[in-house]
Amino acid sequence: MLELDETPLRMTSQRKVIIDELRGLRTHPTADELFLRVRKKRPRISLSTVYRNLEQLAGCGLIQKLDLCGSQRRYDGDTAAHHHVRCLRCGRVDDIPSEAMGDLRKGVCKTCDYEIIGYRLEYLGFCPRCRKQVRRGKPVKPKPRKKG
Amino acid sequence: MLELDETPLRMTSQRKVIIDELRGLRTHPTADELFLRVRKKRPRISLSTVYRNLEQLAGCGLIQKLDLCGSQRRYDGDTAAHHHVRCLRCGRVDDIPSEAMGDLRKGVCKTCDYEIIGYRLEYLGFCPRCRKQVRRGKPVKPKPRKKG
DNA sequence: ATAATTGCAAAACATTTGCGGGCAT
DNA sequence: ATGCCCGCAAATGTTTTGCAATTAT
């Protein structure tokens, strides 16, 4: 597993607590959930520091930013590609172990223990127009920050 | 297809323009994208009216609220369940026609004409804890609005 | 020493809500 | 006439950013 001291990032205590806490969880917390936990160990830490670090750690490949349902982004200490289950009632998010993938019809999934109601599938790629732009070397820029 | 006059909603001109515009698009606009278009026909309409109507129309089943990648919610005039492709460069979202589902490996999808880079799969259901709550009749409430 | 990083405050964004007046029924 | 709905403005919730002080290198 990639470690903090193998990156260009400085090893601050805040950073270390953030990454340790995140890696110790299997629930893929939002930034503010993580903030509440981290604050128990470092009471003076700020929410911006948490956000900033999550961004940087994801940029270095030490953690993964998730873009799932819901209004808040979630973060994952496991950088391997895998899928997730989200609870429709409490919002908790867990991993789908690869062994469970065959077991995901309606009803209770034996391996992940969720009652599966449905799923959401979104493909990602380049539309016809952008394919050309990308081939011509124009960079992938997601969309200007506001006001067109 | 379900129509406006079959719902308890009043048939205001704003509402009609919103639903017509949305149904005429295949790109699943965000609220503000739709607002810009609708404003050409009704220059005095407000963004809140667009949001409020999208919410109500989705509640009545005339349109569909989408919860895809990205920071903004998108809306779909087609209420049938289906999947989507999102362009990683411009953010455009299109339908995946069901005939295309077999054609979605890496490379250019013949039917939808996107270059497919990957996909995102999220299962939805009830976690072990909430399963019990739901069985006891406790309602599905997503999470209190803020401040615990 | 120097440059990255922090905490705080404020800005930026996306969405929702309160209200008084207007319009569909 | 009733009350749903509109536009406007303000509030809310999430994430980002500017800045001066602090800290890892």
PDB file of all heavy atoms in Angstrom, chain A residues 15 20 27 43 59 61 80 83 125 130 139 143-144 147:
ATOM      1  N   ARG A  15      -2.397  15.432   8.684  1.00  0.00           N
ATOM      2  CA  ARG A  15      -2.468  14.538   7.532  1.00  0.00           C
ATOM      3  C   ARG A  15      -2.447  13.074   7.947  1.00  0.00           C
ATOM      4  O   ARG A  15      -3.200  12.255   7.445  1.00  0.00           O
ATOM      5  CB  ARG A  15      -1.286  14.846   6.616  1.00  0.00           C
ATOM      6  CG  ARG A  15      -1.355  14.203   5.283  1.00  0.00           C
ATOM      7  CD  ARG A  15      -1.422  15.248   4.178  1.00  0.00           C
ATOM      8  NE  ARG A  15      -0.169  15.922   3.997  1.00  0.00           N
ATOM      9  CZ  ARG A  15      -0.048  17.135   3.443  1.00  0.00           C
ATOM     10  NH1 ARG A  15      -1.105  17.791   3.034  1.00  0.00           N
ATOM     11  NH2 ARG A  15       1.120  17.678   3.302  1.00  0.00           N
ATOM     12  N   ASP A  20      -4.949   7.825   8.555  1.00  0.00           N
ATOM     13  CA  ASP A  20      -5.104   6.653   9.424  1.00  0.00           C
ATOM     14  C   ASP A  20      -6.566   6.402   9.737  1.00  0.00           C
ATOM     15  O   ASP A  20      -7.054   5.269   9.670  1.00  0.00           O
ATOM     16  CB  ASP A  20      -4.329   6.856  10.741  1.00  0.00           C
ATOM     17  CG  ASP A  20      -2.825   6.715  10.529  1.00  0.00           C
ATOM     18  OD1 ASP A  20      -2.411   6.298   9.433  1.00  0.00           O
ATOM     19  OD2 ASP A  20      -2.067   7.037  11.466  1.00  0.00           O
ATOM     20  N   THR A  27     -16.667   2.407   6.058  1.00  0.00           N
ATOM     21  CA  THR A  27     -17.974   2.999   5.734  1.00  0.00           C
ATOM     22  C   THR A  27     -17.903   4.188   4.792  1.00  0.00           C
ATOM     23  O   THR A  27     -18.909   4.819   4.532  1.00  0.00           O
ATOM     24  CB  THR A  27     -18.678   3.463   7.015  1.00  0.00           C
ATOM     25  OG1 THR A  27     -17.777   4.325   7.719  1.00  0.00           O
ATOM     26  CG2 THR A  27     -19.051   2.298   7.882  1.00  0.00           C
ATOM     27  N   PRO A  43      -8.199  18.192  18.370  1.00  0.00           N
ATOM     28  CA  PRO A  43      -9.375  19.049  18.549  1.00  0.00           C
ATOM     29  C   PRO A  43      -9.313  20.389  17.807  1.00  0.00           C
ATOM     30  O   PRO A  43     -10.345  20.982  17.546  1.00  0.00           O
ATOM     31  CB  PRO A  43      -9.392  19.279  20.071  1.00  0.00           C
ATOM     32  CG  PRO A  43      -8.630  18.140  20.640  1.00  0.00           C
ATOM     33  CD  PRO A  43      -7.577  17.822  19.640  1.00  0.00           C
ATOM     34  N   GLY A  59      -5.238  13.020  -4.914  1.00  0.00           N
ATOM     35  CA  GLY A  59      -4.388  13.378  -6.045  1.00  0.00           C
ATOM     36  C   GLY A  59      -3.124  12.537  -6.110  1.00  0.00           C
ATOM     37  O   GLY A  59      -2.639  12.207  -7.191  1.00  0.00           O
ATOM     38  N   GLY A  61      -2.977   9.487  -5.001  1.00  0.00           N
ATOM     39  CA  GLY A  61      -3.345   8.079  -5.106  1.00  0.00           C
ATOM     40  C   GLY A  61      -3.296   7.314  -3.798  1.00  0.00           C
ATOM     41  O   GLY A  61      -3.291   6.093  -3.803  1.00  0.00           O
ATOM     42  N   ALA A  80      -8.161   0.396  -4.565  1.00  0.00           N
ATOM     43  CA  ALA A  80      -8.479  -0.579  -5.610  1.00  0.00           C
ATOM     44  C   ALA A  80      -9.896  -0.325  -6.137  1.00  0.00           C
ATOM     45  O   ALA A  80     -10.783   0.056  -5.384  1.00  0.00           O
ATOM     46  CB  ALA A  80      -8.365  -1.994  -5.054  1.00  0.00           C
ATOM     47  N   HIS A  83     -16.924  -1.867  -6.180  1.00  0.00           N
ATOM     48  CA  HIS A  83     -18.241  -1.229  -6.175  1.00  0.00           C
ATOM     49  C   HIS A  83     -18.780  -1.094  -4.760  1.00  0.00           C
ATOM     50  O   HIS A  83     -18.208  -1.605  -3.819  1.00  0.00           O
ATOM     51  CB  HIS A  83     -19.198  -2.022  -7.070  1.00  0.00           C
ATOM     52  CG  HIS A  83     -18.693  -2.140  -8.462  1.00  0.00           C
ATOM     53  ND1 HIS A  83     -18.496  -1.038  -9.272  1.00  0.00           N
ATOM     54  CD2 HIS A  83     -18.300  -3.214  -9.194  1.00  0.00           C
ATOM     55  CE1 HIS A  83     -18.022  -1.433 -10.433  1.00  0.00           C
ATOM     56  NE2 HIS A  83     -17.883  -2.748 -10.415  1.00  0.00           N
ATOM     57  N   GLY A 125     -17.197   8.256 -20.354  1.00  0.00           N
ATOM     58  CA  GLY A 125     -16.391   8.241 -21.560  1.00  0.00           C
ATOM     59  C   GLY A 125     -16.344   9.600 -22.210  1.00  0.00           C
ATOM     60  O   GLY A 125     -16.470  10.617 -21.533  1.00  0.00           O
ATOM     61  N   CYS A 130     -16.469  15.637 -28.037  1.00  0.00           N
ATOM     62  CA  CYS A 130     -15.252  15.737 -27.232  1.00  0.00           C
ATOM     63  C   CYS A 130     -14.186  14.736 -27.667  1.00  0.00           C
ATOM     64  O   CYS A 130     -12.993  14.976 -27.470  1.00  0.00           O
ATOM     65  CB  CYS A 130     -15.574  15.568 -25.751  1.00  0.00           C
ATOM     66  SG  CYS A 130     -16.418  17.011 -25.059  1.00  0.00           S
ATOM     67  N   PRO A 139      -7.174  19.507 -23.730  1.00  0.00           N
ATOM     68  CA  PRO A 139      -7.196  18.806 -22.445  1.00  0.00           C
ATOM     69  C   PRO A 139      -8.605  18.527 -21.934  1.00  0.00           C
ATOM     70  O   PRO A 139      -9.576  19.094 -22.429  1.00  0.00           O
ATOM     71  CB  PRO A 139      -6.481  19.782 -21.511  1.00  0.00           C
ATOM     72  CG  PRO A 139      -6.789  21.123 -22.092  1.00  0.00           C
ATOM     73  CD  PRO A 139      -6.833  20.919 -23.576  1.00  0.00           C
ATOM     74  N   LYS A 143     -15.477  21.723 -17.040  1.00  0.00           N
ATOM     75  CA  LYS A 143     -16.549  22.704 -17.194  1.00  0.00           C
ATOM     76  C   LYS A 143     -16.134  23.926 -16.381  1.00  0.00           C
ATOM     77  O   LYS A 143     -15.749  23.781 -15.226  1.00  0.00           O
ATOM     78  CB  LYS A 143     -17.846  22.158 -16.584  1.00  0.00           C
ATOM     79  CG  LYS A 143     -19.113  22.944 -16.931  1.00  0.00           C
ATOM     80  CD  LYS A 143     -20.320  22.254 -16.294  1.00  0.00           C
ATOM     81  CE  LYS A 143     -21.595  23.029 -16.551  1.00  0.00           C
ATOM     82  NZ  LYS A 143     -22.782  22.363 -16.013  1.00  0.00           N
ATOM     83  N   PRO A 144     -16.235  25.105 -16.943  1.00  0.00           N
ATOM     84  CA  PRO A 144     -15.839  26.301 -16.195  1.00  0.00           C
ATOM     85  C   PRO A 144     -16.623  26.446 -14.900  1.00  0.00           C
ATOM     86  O   PRO A 144     -17.765  25.991 -14.791  1.00  0.00           O
ATOM     87  CB  PRO A 144     -16.158  27.442 -17.161  1.00  0.00           C
ATOM     88  CG  PRO A 144     -17.093  26.864 -18.169  1.00  0.00           C
ATOM     89  CD  PRO A 144     -16.742  25.435 -18.268  1.00  0.00           C
ATOM     90  N   LYS A 147     -20.997  30.804 -14.305  1.00  0.00           N
ATOM     91  CA  LYS A 147     -21.346  31.885 -15.206  1.00  0.00           C
ATOM     92  C   LYS A 147     -20.795  31.705 -16.620  1.00  0.00           C
ATOM     93  O   LYS A 147     -19.600  31.904 -16.845  1.00  0.00           O
ATOM     94  CB  LYS A 147     -20.823  33.238 -14.665  1.00  0.00           C
ATOM     95  CG  LYS A 147     -21.521  33.732 -13.414  1.00  0.00           C
ATOM     96  CD  LYS A 147     -22.755  34.546 -13.744  1.00  0.00           C
ATOM     97  CE  LYS A 147     -23.998  33.917 -13.172  1.00  0.00           C
ATOM     98  NZ  LYS A 147     -24.183  34.129 -11.752  1.00  0.00           N
TER      99      LYS A 147
END
